[in-house]
Amino acid sequence: MEDSSSKSFLRKQWDEYKEFWADRFPFTDVYSRYIGREQPLPSWSESDVNEFIASDPVHGPTLKTAREAANIALYGSAIGAITTAGFAWKYSKSLHGGAVFGWTFGQEIANHAYQLYRLDTMAAQAKFMDWWENKCRR
């Protein structure tokens, strides 16, 4: 381990930068157990998700709300792609720009409409993945 006094200025800045963003975006820590597995988890169905939602009074409603918000974002993506495709094509020759804008705008509307900023959706998704993994082992 390096002594902090022997680190260069840039190295100290980089370490602080990494720590700052790691605190704000912990998804790599949360999802690292599920990404790059030797044996991937089997696919789940809508009924499996609904079973989890009914069985977990804490994380179930959060997961249900997050899934509803994702549907709004999906519709926003489709609407954004259709309505802004002409502008995107005219000015940038890039049709996917409309879909990206629509997804972002739809996700923001869903975040505020469902107040997702108050919920820990990442914990609910990780809890569901753990639940699904345990169910598949049985």
Side-chain angles (χ1 to χ4, degrees):
M1 188 86 186
E2 286 185 55
D3 182 20
S4 63
S5 62
S6 67
K7 288 184 179 179
S8 69
F9 173 77
L10 291 176
R11 184 64 175 174
K12 287 179 193 175
Q13 293 296 318
W14 176 249
D15 290 343
E16 289 175 13
Y17 176 82
K18 283 193 327 186
E19 184 179 332
F20 175 82
W21 287 110
D23 289 343
R24 280 144 186 86
F25 297 103
F27 58 86
T28 53
D29 295 334
V30 173
Y31 294 123
S32 62
R33 297 182 313 196
Y34 312 113
I35 298 171
R37 299 166 52 105
E38 287 182 24
Q39 293 182 338
L41 288 173
S43 297
W44 53 81
S45 67
E46 190 70 29
S47 63
D48 296 321
V49 175
N50 290 333
E51 181 183 344
F52 170 77
I53 290 170
S55 69
D56 192 325
V58 175
H59 294 22
T62 302
L63 185 64
K64 182 179 180 183
T65 303
R67 290 173 63 84
E68 290 170 357
N71 284 335
I72 288 177
L74 177 66
Y75 295 134
S77 175
I79 291 168
I82 292 166
T83 59
T84 60
F87 291 111
W89 181 255
K90 180 178 179 181
Y91 294 109
S92 69
K93 304 290 188 241
S94 170
L95 289 177
H96 69 279
V100 171
F101 170 78
W103 177 268
T104 305
F105 194 68
Q107 187 65 42
E108 284 302 311
I109 289 172
N111 278 337
H112 291 290
Y114 289 108
Q115 298 180 349
L116 292 180
Y117 51 86
R118 294 182 178 187
L119 304 174
D120 190 359
T121 56
M122 197 173 352
Q125 291 169 356
K127 181 77 172 183
F128 170 73
M129 297 291 280
D130 291 339
W131 176 85
W132 180 244
E133 185 176 32
N134 290 333
K135 184 176 179 182
C136 291
R137 283 185 187 161
R138 288 185 234 149

